[in-house]
Amino acid sequence: MAPTTKRKTSLTLDADVLDCAKTFEINVSAVAEAALKKAVAEARQKQWLEENADAFAAQAHWHAHNGHPLAEIICAPGASSWNA
């Protein structure tokens, strides 16, 4: 696994919260990085869903009019297709 490139940045944080974090020996950089990674992942997912919304709608429309193409094999356990 390749080492991660780190870059210094400046943050403005609530002084009391920062003091409490120091008291509890919380690594503020690690917490900020984890929160930022989560926020970026959520933003990417939201963007992907928005970019593909038309395809999802088209698929839902097709299924509504034609049924699911695998409906016979994704039925509930115990149905005839499970016994084949």
Side-chain angles (χ1 to χ4, degrees):
M1 186 176 205
T4 303
T5 302
K6 301 280 185 171
R7 185 179 334 156
K8 287 187 177 195
T9 189
S10 175
L11 298 173
T12 303
L13 302 171
D14 180 287
D16 291 336
V17 173
L18 194 54
D19 291 342
C20 285
K22 185 176 181 180
T23 300
F24 291 109
E25 298 180 2
I26 294 173
N27 183 333
V28 175
S29 293
V31 171
E33 184 174 352
L36 189 57
K37 283 181 180 180
K38 181 179 178 189
V40 167
E42 289 171 357
R44 282 184 177 151
Q45 180 183 23
K46 180 181 177 189
Q47 181 183 28
W48 185 85
L49 289 171
E50 290 171 356
E51 288 173 351
N52 291 283
D54 290 343
F56 298 139
Q59 182 182 34
H61 177 77
W62 191 93
H63 284 177
H65 286 84
N66 300 294
H68 195 289
L70 303 175
E72 291 182 18
I73 62 171
I74 59 173
C75 59
S80 60
S81 63
W82 285 85
N83 296 325

